[in-house]
Amino acid sequence: MKALLALGIVAAVLFVAVGSYVSTYNLGNEMEKQIKYQWEQNKNVLAKHEKRVMEAAQVPEMYRDDYAKVIREAMQGRYGENGSKAVFQWIKEHDIRFDSKLYLRLQDLIEAGRNEFANEQQKLLDLKRSYETQLGYLWTGLWLRIAGYPKINLAEYKIVTSERTEKVFEGGKEEPLKLRK
């Protein structure tokens, strides 16, 4: 009877230990997969943002060229092949204005893209912090190390920043942004 009880206790301890190991191994695997996924997602969001801005930035130039063509054709239609020396009079008569909505749209795209990218970077930081916290826990960290975690180099999964930001953090001083030189 005592041997059966001792065997039961050993089996229970072994069951808890194996269960704890398997659970922690799965946690390490899941966290590393999430970090890798989020890294790729950050690339995806940044690439999408860059493409949207680059494409949208072409629109004002296209608008300008098309607008100039319309004016040129209207002037030639009204004043003949050589146009008129009264171009400014014609422009004043027709109250021609360049539409600034295109630039406002571009600003909105930039801001929205930056905000989306910052949110994705925050997710990566949260994942890394959570994983590093798990690695630092006594029990979970022990099992993770026994299981060979971390298997990825967490230092490789950096957030994307700018030279200016890096210099500010290196020097410890921030200057106001200069919007015009």
Side-chain angles (χ1 to χ4, degrees), residues 66-79:
D66 291 346
Y67 201 61
K69 182 180 174 187
V70 168
I71 290 173
R72 191 171 31 258
E73 288 175 2
M75 295 299 289
Q76 288 175 352
R78 185 169 182 176
Y79 299 111

Side-chain angles (χ1 to χ4, degrees), residues 3-147:
L4 204 54
L5 181 61
L7 186 62
I9 291 173
V10 169
V13 168
L14 189 59
F15 179 77
V16 169
V18 169
S20 182
Y21 173 81
V22 169
S23 175
T24 305
Y25 183 92
N26 290 341
L27 172 72
N29 180 56
E30 180 182 351
M31 298 206 72
E32 288 194 2
K33 296 292 187 240
Q34 287 177 335
I35 289 169
K36 287 179 179 181
Y37 164 81
Q38 190 59 50
W39 178 256
E40 293 300 316
Q41 176 62 7
N42 286 8
K43 289 182 192 178
N44 179 40
V45 169
L46 184 59
K48 178 182 78 168
H49 167 62
E50 288 174 347
K51 289 174 192 167
R52 288 178 72 192
V53 170
M54 296 297 275
E55 290 167 355
Q58 296 174 48
V59 173
E61 186 176 324
M62 290 170 50
Y63 177 75
R64 180 204 64 208
D65 293 347
D66 291 346
Y67 201 61
K69 182 180 174 187
V70 168
I71 290 173
R72 191 171 31 258
E73 288 175 2
M75 295 299 289
Q76 288 175 352
R78 185 169 182 176
Y79 299 111
E81 181 85 21
N82 295 327
S84 168
K85 296 192 178 158
V87 171
F88 290 110
Q89 177 184 350
W90 185 87
I91 291 172
K92 190 175 181 183
E93 287 173 3
H94 291 84
D95 194 25
I96 296 176
R97 297 171 195 242
F98 194 77
D99 191 358
S100 63
K101 289 179 190 170
L102 298 170
Y103 294 104
L104 296 174
R105 168 85 173 116
L106 192 55
Q107 284 178 319
D108 290 344
L109 276 174
I110 291 169
E111 184 177 356
R114 290 284 184 196
N115 289 340
E116 181 183 10
F117 186 62
N119 289 337
E120 295 298 328
Q121 296 228 91
Q122 183 64 50
K123 288 177 189 176
L124 178 62
L125 288 172
D126 287 342
L127 288 169
K128 283 179 62 177
R129 177 199 44 79
S130 179
Y131 187 37
E132 289 170 344
T133 301
Q134 293 296 325
L135 287 165
Y137 285 152
L138 178 64
W139 189 249
T140 308
L142 172 69
W143 284 118
L144 284 169
R145 284 187 294 283
I146 289 171

Side-chain angles (χ1 to χ4, degrees), residues 117 121 159-166:
F117 186 62
Q121 296 228 91
I159 63 163
V160 176
T161 183
S162 67
E163 277 186 49
R164 180 183 184 282
T165 300
E166 292 300 317

